[in-house]
Amino acid sequence: MIETIEFVLGTVSNTASYLRLWALSLAHGQLAEVFLNQIFIYALKAKNFNFTLLFAFLLWPAFWAVTFGVLMCMDALECFLHTLRLHWVEFQNKFYKGEGYAFKPFRYESIVSNVLEDD
C-alpha cells in the first residue's frame, strides 16, 4: 500500500516538474515575440520612411541586447532547473537507497595499497 502511494506521489511530482520546464519554454518563445513586436512597432509606425529607417537602425541593437539578456537568463535558468530536476527527482526516486552504508570515497592510494598487500 505504501509503495502504491509513493508511486502515485512520484508520478505527480515528475509531471509537475516537467510542466514547470514546459512553462519556461513557452515563456521563452512568447517573450521573444513580445520583444520583437513591442520594440519594432515604433519603427514601423513612423509616418516618414527616414524615421522608419532611423528607428529601425537605433532600435535593432536595443532589441538584440534586451532579447539576448533576458532569454539567455531564461535559458540558463531552464538548464539549471532541468539539471536540478534530473539530479533530485529522478535520482532520488530511482537510484538512491538510504540503507545506511558509510560513504567511502574513491582513492587510488587505497586501491594500490590493497593490491600491494595481497602480493
Side-chain angles (χ1 to χ4, degrees):
M1 182 68 177
I2 298 294
E3 289 179 6
T4 304
I5 294 171
E6 286 180 352
F7 176 77
V8 170
L9 289 175
T11 302
V12 170
S13 175
N14 288 341
T15 302
S17 182
Y18 276 116
L19 285 175
R20 188 175 324 130
L21 290 172
W22 180 60
L24 270 174
S25 295
L26 286 177
H28 183 274
Q30 290 301 313
L31 272 176
E33 186 176 342
V34 166
F35 289 153
L36 181 66
N37 290 338
Q38 290 300 316
I39 289 177
F40 282 105
I41 198 145
Y42 297 114
L44 297 176
K45 281 189 174 182
K47 302 292 183 202
N48 190 345
F49 181 72
N50 291 331
F51 283 130
T52 301
L53 285 178
L54 181 65
F55 284 148
F57 184 74
L58 293 177
L59 292 177
W60 185 254
F63 165 72
W64 279 109
V66 170
T67 303
F68 185 78
V70 171
L71 296 181
M72 286 304 289
C73 286
M74 284 187 70
D75 281 341
L77 179 67
E78 190 173 343
C79 291
F80 170 74
L81 285 177
H82 190 58
T83 303
L84 183 67
R85 191 199 68 74
L86 286 175
H87 280 87
W88 185 257
V89 176
E90 298 287 336
F91 179 77
Q92 297 292 348
N93 284 346
K94 292 186 175 87
F95 303 111
Y96 178 73
K97 304 283 186 228
E99 297 173 350
Y101 295 108
F103 174 70
K104 294 178 186 173
F106 179 76
R107 294 181 57 215
Y108 286 112
E109 292 86 11
S110 63
I111 294 173
V112 170
S113 65
N114 288 339
V115 169
L116 292 178
E117 287 176 4
D118 289 341
D119 289 339

